[in-house]
Amino acid sequence: MPYRTTIEPFRIKSVEPIRFTTAAERERALAEAGYNLFTLAADDVLIDLLTDSGTGAMSTEQWAALMRGDESYAGARSFARFERAVHDLTGMPYVIPTHQGRAAESILFRQVAGADSIVPNNTHFDTTRANVEQTGAVAVDLACEAARDLRSEVDFKGDLDIVGLRATIDEVGADRVPLVMITITNNSGGGQPVSMANLRAAREVCDEYGIPLFLDACRFAENAWFVTQREPGYAEHEPREVAREAFALADGCTISFKKDGFANIGGLLALRDPELAERCRTQLILTEGFPTYGGLAGRDLDAIAQGLQEVTDPDYLRYRVRTAAYLAEIAEAAGAPTVRPPGGHAVYLDAAGLLPHIPPHELPAQSLALELYREGGVRGVEIGTLMFGRPDPHGGPDTAAPYELVRLALPRRVYTQSHVDYVGEVIAMVAGRAGELGGYRIVGSLAGCGTSPRASRRSPVEGAGHDRPAPSRRRARECVAVEPRW
Ligand code: F0G
């Protein structure tokens, strides 16, 4: 293409105003929220990059599809259209709608996993891990070697560690591994893609041991786009063909349609095994609803069916993936290191790299996330010691998470390039005074705060709890925080 600018491949028909706040209003909102970005009123956020889940904009065709929604309890036309769209994409015969991704995970793992089981995944998303662990099973993350170095420029850092997979199965015995799961793209690993070669290698191992292979395919289209751009032999392929090939390698999948389904709600469990499908449907009826709507309205099923046609459009995917790369370039140029290479749905800022003066137990990634909001009303999410740190049994500081990241997730088709430029400027302002940012500490849980987090806040204590004096320019603030509730 002769032009430098990758434009948004749509024009805007309906607009939603966003609200500007003053620095004083944001400071007050932060204090009232107990320095927990999940507790802010969305109305106080200017650019909301908390998640790419359920936050996308629907197309004109999706809005039209809503009007075609058939709300019949059983056998609705909407289900037939939904089922056709899922068949066309995944080739899987048993199509079970759920209200969102985690409901599909819950139903699946209740059927296949138990106290003795081990479930390998490149990296479990939080809800996937929780649904595995709820059955008493152990969730094992087997990310490839390259994923461990945040800065390495490797094409498929989402790949599953195949050697580790084999070793894990050999160690525990194949009969204790009910399935192997691969998350495409690997959200918890930086939104990094998984190669088709890796999927095939995992398939071979699974065949060898007689274990089913499942995909957590929330971002299947973004993954397919990366394959066309990076994997030898796929340059001439359409993203839709690549996605179909990925699904063809799997025995089943769970999907949250709040991501690449272009929908605000919805999920899927799709299977090839009729007996497992029957058991899952029985469970579905207990918790989600009748098998032809599974917790969704007919109109939602229609919006998803349409979304699944649109999301593999190469013009959309080019713009989508370019947006994250563009924001990452601005951040890097401003001196804010990011997880390399940029993923499909988000930019992950490396707070440990930007704020080396804040130790993990003072929550550097939370400090950075709060500062982006304080500076410019931009909301991201901490993925560091606040989310993953564990209390020290001897009363010392929480054990540190392996990384201190702030995820800036990009809702689909929602923000324009000038919004992204603005976010870049906010990052640059904060990065320019990184040395002045201070740490935080947890002083309580929001659950204990009831509806008035302010009531349980105590005055900020300079350097309190630190094992060495705080540099004078740093502020030690209180952070009434709980682990984010996805
Ligand atoms: N799997 C992955 C890889 C996810 O990213 C998510 C959700 C889920 C499963 C669960 O789907 O929310 O529809 O129940 N991720 C969101 C996020 C919440 O912000 O990354 P769900």
Side-chain angles (χ1 to χ4, degrees):
M1 277 227 236
Y3 299 102
R4 204 170 53 84
T5 308
T6 306
I7 63 167
E8 289 83 8
F10 49 80
R11 53 185 183 174
I12 296 165
K13 179 170 271 180
S14 174
V15 298
E16 184 182 3
I18 50 178
R19 197 171 77 84
F20 292 84
T21 49
T22 63
E25 284 168 337
R26 291 193 293 278
E27 195 58 59
R28 196 164 51 242
L30 277 182
E32 284 175 2
Y35 300 95
N36 179 332
L37 292 169
F38 278 77
T39 320
L40 283 177
D43 208 30
D44 290 333
V45 176
L46 185 64
I47 307 281
D48 204 347
L49 307 183
L50 187 68
T51 179
D52 64 321
S53 180
T55 50
M58 290 206 295
S59 66
T60 48
E61 290 302 324
Q62 283 182 290
W63 284 107
L66 288 187
M67 290 305 292
R68 282 192 293 273
D70 172 0
E71 306 303 341
S72 305
Y73 192 91
R77 288 188 300 278
S78 297
F79 177 72
R81 287 190 281 264
F82 173 86
E83 193 180 35
R84 253 198 316 278
V86 173
H87 274 159
D88 178 66
L89 179 70
T90 68
M92 299 202 187
Y94 302 103
V95 173
I96 301 174
T98 59
H99 81 275
Q100 61 183 86
R102 67 197 69 186
E105 294 163 1
S106 167
I107 289 168
L108 174 66
F109 288 114
R110 273 165 188 254
Q111 292 307 316
V112 302
D116 229 24
S117 323
I118 312 287
V119 179
N121 197 322
N122 45 353
T123 313
H124 288 85
F125 180 68
D126 314 22
T127 61
T128 324
R129 169 174 288 278
N131 276 308
V132 167
E133 290 176 348
Q134 180 171 264
T135 69
V138 176
V140 181
D141 288 343
L142 294 171
C144 67
E145 181 69 34
R148 267 163 238 155
D149 177 1
L150 297 184
R151 303 288 292 163
S152 64
E153 297 282 350
V154 174
D155 283 345
F156 290 103
K157 283 169 86 172
D159 279 358
L160 179 80
D161 171 7
I162 299 291
V163 174
L165 175 64
R166 200 180 277 281
T168 304
I169 300 170
D170 284 339
E171 190 190 324
V172 303
D175 52 336
R176 290 180 60 197
V177 183
L179 58 83
V180 171
M181 198 165 224
I182 302 186
T183 306
I184 60 172
T185 56
N186 188 357
N187 181 11
S188 307
Q192 302 289 336
V194 176
S195 65
M196 298 304 293
N198 190 251
L199 290 181
R200 276 194 298 273
R203 175 78 259 173
E204 273 174 33
V205 174
C206 286
D207 284 345
E208 200 179 306
Y209 290 91
I211 300 171
L213 176 65
F214 273 63
L215 297 179
D216 173 347
C218 298
R219 299 176 180 86
F220 67 88
E222 290 166 13
N223 200 80
W225 176 256
F226 280 118
V227 168
T228 65
Q229 300 302 296
R230 296 182 183 173
E231 189 159 356
Y234 284 93
E236 302 303 319
H237 286 53
E238 289 291 318
R240 194 165 189 86
E241 285 174 66
V242 177
R244 282 195 182 120
E245 192 177 320
F247 284 114
L249 288 165
D251 298 290
C253 66
T254 56
I255 303 186
S256 165
F257 286 133
K258 299 172 76 172
K259 286 79 169 175
D260 279 351
F262 272 152
N264 301 119
I265 196 72
L268 172 76
L269 173 59
L271 301 163
R272 296 191 192 278
D273 175 351
E275 189 268 331
L276 177 58
E278 197 48 42
R279 285 194 283 135
C280 289
R281 281 201 183 110
T282 305
Q283 177 70 34
L284 181 87
I285 291 168
L286 290 184
T287 56
E288 292 284 290
F290 194 71
T292 60
Y293 71 85
L296 293 169
R299 55 180 171 267
D300 298 326
L301 295 168
D302 265 307
I304 296 163
Q306 176 61 30
L308 291 178
Q309 304 304 323
E310 296 176 8
V311 74
T312 49
D313 173 14
D315 290 336
Y316 160 72
L317 288 168
R318 180 179 302 108
Y319 137 83
R320 170 76 178 154
V321 167
R322 177 64 196 139
T323 306
Y326 177 75
L327 180 57
E329 280 165 20
I330 300 175
E332 293 277 350
T338 64
V339 175
R340 301 294 309 167
H345 69 296
V347 170
Y348 293 67
L349 301 176
D350 177 9
L354 184 66
L355 308 172
H357 58 286
I358 304 181
H361 69 273
E362 289 183 18
L363 314 174
Q366 180 68 358
S367 176
L368 178 57
L370 291 170
E371 208 61 27
L372 294 174
Y373 175 75
R374 186 178 276 124
E375 174 67 39
V378 175
R379 173 159 75 168
V381 63
E382 193 262 15
I383 304 182
T385 296
L386 178 61
M387 194 188 268
F388 290 125
R390 289 287 164 259
D392 178 74
H394 309 295
D398 279 4
T399 54
Y403 306 109
E404 299 293 342
L405 305 176
V406 174
R407 186 186 75 171
L408 302 175
L410 297 155
R412 291 169 181 75
R413 306 190 291 202
V414 167
Y415 293 117
T416 64
Q417 184 171 340
S418 72
H419 290 117
V420 175
D421 282 328
Y422 170 82
V423 173
E425 284 187 47
V426 171
I427 294 171
M429 290 295 270
V430 171
R433 53 182 173 75
E436 295 169 23
L437 268 59
Y440 287 77
R441 65 193 179 97
I442 300 170
V443 297
S445 80
L446 279 176
C449 298
T451 52
S452 174
R454 189 205 289 271
S456 73
R457 281 194 60 226
R458 294 165 220 141
S459 334
V461 182
E462 193 72 28
H466 302 164
D467 48 12
R468 54 188 170 70
S472 58
R473 283 164 72 212
R474 287 176 45 206
R475 293 164 293 165
R477 286 176 175 268
E478 298 208 324
C479 176
V480 181
V482 287
E483 292 180 8
R485 303 245 185 269
W486 296 106

